[in-house]
Amino acid sequence: MDVAMKRKPSTEATAAWIRLMRVQSRVLDAVEHELKKAGFPPLAWYDALFELSRAPSGELRPVELEKQMLLPQYSTSRLIDRLVDEGLAARRECKADKRGQFVEITDAGRELQKKMWQAYSAAIEKHVGSKLSDGDAVKLCGLLDRLGCSCSEAQPLAVRDVASAR
Amino acid sequence: MDVAMKRKPSTEATAAWIRLMRVQSRVLDAVEHELKKAGFPPLAWYDALFELSRAPSGELRPVELEKQMLLPQYSTSRLIDRLVDEGLAARRECKADKRGQFVEITDAGRELQKKMWQAYSAAIEKHVGSKLSDGDAVKLCGLLDRLGCSCSEAQPLAVRDVASAR
DNA sequence: CGTGATTAAATGCAGTTGCATGAAATAGTC
DNA sequence: GACTATTTCATGCAACTGCATTTAATCACG
């Protein structure tokens, strides 16, 4: 390991880092707050329900969910617990691999997902859409994507996801 | 409230939202992980120490720290607890307003802040700087700033902060 | 096949967060 | 000046997170 690897970032890069952290935090807080105000569960629940709902036959292995959502394993496991407790998903045995299981979204789960999207999409429009032209949104996507894959990659899908199911 | 307020976001805006959430999460995870690997406390500690260190005479009211850091009040209160426990900061009485107090950074605190910046800046360079030209970093800042002030504003300082004290 | 490494998922525990509330000082108002 | 509202900070409690470990099943391969 070369000592020179530890180069200092430029002022511009540092400024971008700070913006990324602060703006994300504010926008996320704002959106989460609106969802909560409307009586909905946290965004993570939506994300999970969304991933399940668009999966073939509405079910996914926990491992897959985990990868889609960038969550640690234990975190996914407990999120599923909660969804199951609330009747939004069900655990199903996996015959092919008995260590594993399938998580299947229920009708109630699908319904909640759709309802949440009403409030969620309105919040996105309010806190992102209304502040940026479509062209600028595309530029922003492009710049962010370049930062994306410092670690693992995952979902190269997200773009068209948006276009379709939501 | 017009019902039409609940307009749907464009595909582009939604894509930007998703990127913002995912990329920030990954980059933050990566940077936090490097700091932890190097045996340092969480980033929030750095931020607090940094804010304190650049404040006049190295002290700040908890309320001010709270605003700078976009943290809830109780969270700041407990963060200060921990800094004090570790001898990185000290609580001092505020004679002008006896409800309040001052939090003052200690020498150990200043030292840790500087040491952390070594690792922190290297991580920023690795996960942000090296992926973006300075020009692109500036563009990214500009786009993010437009999303910034959906709620409260706060630190219009951050830009020059970066240039100076760090 | 048998043995060791790997993968899927759950869980105990300690530490942290969020929420609501409390306690203490100050500000505003009549 | 007494009364209420507000501001500043702390804290009890329940929920949540991270970490390390456990359990169970599959895989790799000699």
Side-chain angles (χ1 to χ4, degrees):
Chain A
M1 279 287 173
D2 187 353
V3 174
M5 289 244 53
K6 293 212 171 187
R7 250 188 42 260
K8 289 276 177 95
S10 68
T11 302
E12 289 81 2
T14 307
W17 156 265
I18 292 177
R19 292 301 187 295
L20 180 59
M21 296 302 123
R22 300 191 94 113
V23 170
Q24 187 271 354
S25 154
R26 283 203 218 164
V27 176
L28 176 58
D29 283 357
V31 170
E32 284 259 35
H33 186 259
E34 299 212 15
L35 281 202
K36 172 170 303 183
K37 218 178 48 186
F40 289 117
L43 253 185
W45 290 36
Y46 175 85
D47 288 341
L49 291 175
F50 175 69
E51 294 298 342
L52 290 176
S53 73
R54 73 196 182 104
S57 38
E59 59 186 13
L60 236 38
R61 302 285 299 260
V63 185
E64 325 230 36
L65 195 53
E66 182 185 320
K67 275 173 201 139
Q68 286 298 320
M69 298 186 59
L70 306 179
L71 286 181
Q73 180 269 321
Y74 55 81
S75 189
T76 312
S77 175
R78 289 195 254 229
L79 175 55
I80 294 170
D81 284 349
R82 286 165 214 148
L83 294 179
V84 170
D85 284 351
E86 299 294 327
L88 303 167
R91 290 186 212 262
R92 291 162 49 75
E93 138 184 65
C94 171
K95 316 218 167 187
D97 181 347
K98 279 191 195 152
R99 310 167 279 195
Q101 67 191 230
F102 282 105
V103 181
E104 185 178 21
I105 190 169
T106 63
D107 288 346
R110 288 187 192 272
E111 207 176 313
L112 177 60
Q113 189 265 323
K114 283 185 196 112
K115 276 210 193 106
M116 284 185 80
W117 178 240
Q118 299 303 311
Y120 186 18
S121 63
I124 294 175
E125 171 60 17
K126 177 169 168 188
H127 297 286
V128 179
S130 70
K131 314 243 174 137
L132 239 39
S133 70
D134 281 359
D136 285 339
V138 170
K139 278 183 209 151
L140 181 54
C141 280
L143 289 166
L144 288 174
D145 278 341
R146 293 221 248 135
L147 299 182
C149 308
S150 55
C151 28
S152 65
E153 60 322 294
Q155 92 305 337
L157 3 154
V159 187
R160 49 176 185 67
D161 295 351
V162 168
S164 63
R166 306 229 180 200
Chain B
M1 278 287 175
D2 187 355
V3 175
M5 289 242 54
K6 294 212 169 188
R7 251 187 42 258
K8 289 275 178 97
S10 67
T11 303
E12 289 81 1
T14 307
W17 157 266
I18 292 177
R19 292 300 186 297
L20 181 59
M21 296 302 122
R22 299 192 94 112
V23 170
Q24 188 270 356
S25 154
R26 283 204 218 161
V27 176
L28 177 58
D29 283 357
V31 170
E32 284 259 35
H33 186 257
E34 299 212 13
L35 280 201
K36 174 172 300 184
K37 218 179 48 187
F40 288 117
L43 251 186
W45 290 36
Y46 175 85
D47 288 340
L49 291 175
F50 175 68
E51 294 297 342
L52 290 175
S53 74
R54 77 194 178 108
S57 37
E59 59 186 14
L60 234 40
R61 300 283 300 262
V63 185
E64 324 230 36
L65 195 52
E66 182 185 320
K67 274 173 204 144
Q68 286 298 320
M69 298 185 60
L70 306 179
L71 286 180
Q73 180 269 318
Y74 56 82
S75 191
T76 311
S77 174
R78 283 167 177 153
L79 175 55
I80 293 170
D81 284 350
R82 286 165 212 147
L83 295 179
V84 170
D85 283 352
E86 299 294 327
L88 303 167
R91 290 187 212 263
R92 292 162 46 76
E93 138 185 64
C94 171
K95 316 217 169 187
D97 182 347
K98 278 188 194 155
R99 306 168 282 197
Q101 65 191 227
F102 281 106
V103 181
E104 186 178 18
I105 190 170
T106 63
D107 288 346
R110 287 188 192 272
E111 207 176 314
L112 177 61
Q113 187 264 324
K114 284 187 195 110
K115 274 208 193 108
M116 285 185 79
W117 178 240
Q118 299 302 311
Y120 186 18
S121 63
I124 294 175
E125 171 59 19
K126 177 169 168 187
H127 298 286
V128 179
S130 70
K131 314 244 174 132
L132 238 40
S133 71
D134 282 358
D136 287 339
V138 170
K139 277 183 210 149
L140 180 53
C141 280
L143 289 166
L144 289 173
D145 278 343
R146 292 220 249 138
L147 300 181
C149 308
S150 55
C151 30
S152 64
E153 60 324 292
Q155 93 305 337
L157 4 154
V159 187
R160 52 177 182 67
D161 295 353
V162 168
S164 63
R166 308 231 176 198

